[in-house]
Amino acid sequence: GFKDTEVGPFRKVNLILGGQNVGKTSLLEATHLTVINGEYFPFRSNEGRDAQRFARSALGDGFQSIEVNASHDRSARLQKNSASSPQGFRMGFSGGTGNCDWLKSPNWIDVGVTPIPLFLPSQDELVRLFSEVSLSRKKRQLTDLLREVEPRLVSLDVALPDGEHRIYVELDGIDRALPLPQLGHGFGRLLYLYTSLLKADAQLALIDEVENGIHYSALPTLFQGIKLVAQERDVQTLMTTHSWDAIRAACEVFEDTPELFQVIRLERTDDNIK
């Protein structure tokens, strides 16, 4: 889909929208390939070797050896402020061969990246993420964010009453803690988003279909959390959406800090995406 496309400049929080199959997820994948020096992350739901098959079909057999001209300056970011630095990135693919012609970002580094696909990970992975947040003493921050969505929330803990570690949620008025899936996909998605953003010192978060599974009334809280980690933890975010409610909620949340936020709309032309 991308023949010769330029994206940028990026701001701290970037919301990417566009019609169906216009390349929103592909933009996240291209960004990840660039900053992780050619490593592919499966943003799309897959089983078995689907991720490898997809990468080869999209980028050719050489997808694992994409070269990135990278600096080792640890102060660098995907977001560039210097006039001499790139303000975005370009990508192009050689016509007809299916092989990646070039995908470069001069002066970039291998930054810490948190990729967040639209599908939830396993319960074991959620337990691992939550445990990292707890050990780094961010559990109270996570609980405060989630309490904005579920006011009855008292605490979150890991327990293994039947031999399997699971996250259990204590709610006001209920005399027994509930396993996380019992609160529904939306709450689990919020927990996944916030633990992923809080757990590491990543400088860049890539979130596919940020509104997936989340009720429209909770979207302002979601974006408040993204704004919080942007301001307090210096995390830059690229996220895709199909939702008008998400666009509206994000614009309202960032109304008082317009320098942090922008919307990027992708549109397909006859043979390219602009």
Side-chain angles (χ1 to χ4, degrees):
F2 295 104
K3 181 180 180 182
D4 183 13
T5 301
E6 184 169 355
V7 183
F10 294 112
R11 295 186 186 177
K12 183 62 73 175
V13 179
N14 306 269
L15 185 61
I16 302 156
L17 62 105
Q20 196 69 39
N21 199 32
V22 76
K24 298 183 294 298
T25 301
S26 295
L27 176 57
L28 298 186
E29 290 171 332
T31 304
H32 193 265
L33 281 165
T34 302
V35 298
I36 300 298
N37 203 13
E39 179 182 340
Y40 175 74
F41 177 83
F43 276 93
R44 303 158 203 264
S45 180
N46 63 89
E47 298 177 8
R49 297 184 182 275
D50 286 347
Q52 293 92 326
R53 294 187 191 99
F54 171 77
R56 289 193 178 93
S57 69
L59 301 176
D61 291 335
F63 76 95
Q64 291 180 324
S65 59
I66 295 172
E67 294 183 359
V68 177
N69 179 11
S71 162
H72 295 287
D73 177 8
R74 297 303 301 176
S75 66
R77 293 289 189 274
L78 179 64
Q79 178 181 358
K80 297 289 188 177
N81 296 317
S82 169
S84 62
S85 299
Q87 292 294 311
F89 69 87
R90 296 177 59 83
M91 50 190 159
F93 297 89
S94 55
T97 65
N99 294 320
C100 183
D101 184 28
W102 51 268
L103 180 58
K104 297 180 180 179
S105 55
N107 301 321
W108 286 1
I109 61 170
D110 283 351
V111 299
V113 180
T114 298
I116 305 174
L118 63 91
F119 46 90
L120 281 175
S122 67
Q123 293 295 311
D124 287 340
E125 176 66 8
L126 286 174
V127 167
R128 186 189 68 81
L129 290 170
F130 176 76
S131 298
E132 290 189 31
V133 168
S134 298
L135 290 172
S136 58
R137 300 194 65 179
K138 304 186 188 83
K139 179 180 171 182
R140 179 178 297 179
Q141 192 174 3
L142 171 66
T143 304
D144 289 343
L145 285 169
L146 292 171
R147 192 175 287 126
E148 292 293 324
V149 178
E150 177 48 83
R152 299 176 298 166
L153 178 63
V154 176
S155 69
L156 299 147
D157 295 286
V158 172
L160 63 164
D162 52 5
E164 292 184 341
H165 286 88
R166 291 293 183 266
I167 298 173
Y168 279 77
V169 183
E170 185 179 345
L171 299 178
D172 191 30
I174 298 179
D175 59 3
R176 186 174 180 84
L178 303 175
L180 177 65
Q182 204 161 326
L183 274 77
H185 178 86
F187 189 86
R189 169 77 167 167
L190 282 171
L191 185 141
Y192 177 35
L193 284 170
Y194 288 146
T195 52
S196 298
L197 293 171
L198 291 171
K199 76 175 180 67
D201 293 325
Q203 302 122 322
L204 176 64
L206 306 173
I207 308 175
D208 199 18
E209 293 191 28
V210 65
E211 78 283 357
N212 182 49
I214 299 173
H215 192 264
Y216 72 90
S217 64
L219 290 173
T221 301
L222 166 66
F223 289 114
Q224 286 287 0
I226 291 172
K227 183 178 181 179
L228 177 70
V229 296
Q231 293 176 314
E232 295 190 1
R233 304 191 58 80
D234 195 27
V235 175
Q236 188 174 17
T237 304
L238 273 66
M239 51 191 165
T240 69
T241 185
H242 288 283
S243 166
W244 170 248
D245 289 319
I247 298 167
R248 181 170 54 190
C251 289
E252 290 174 354
V253 167
F254 287 94
E255 186 175 12
D256 61 339
T257 52
E259 71 281 358
L260 291 179
F261 176 73
Q262 70 177 342
V263 171
I264 298 173
R265 181 170 63 88
L266 301 181
E267 182 177 302
R268 186 177 296 281
T269 60
D270 291 339
D271 62 349
N272 196 20
I273 295 170
K274 64 179 180 180

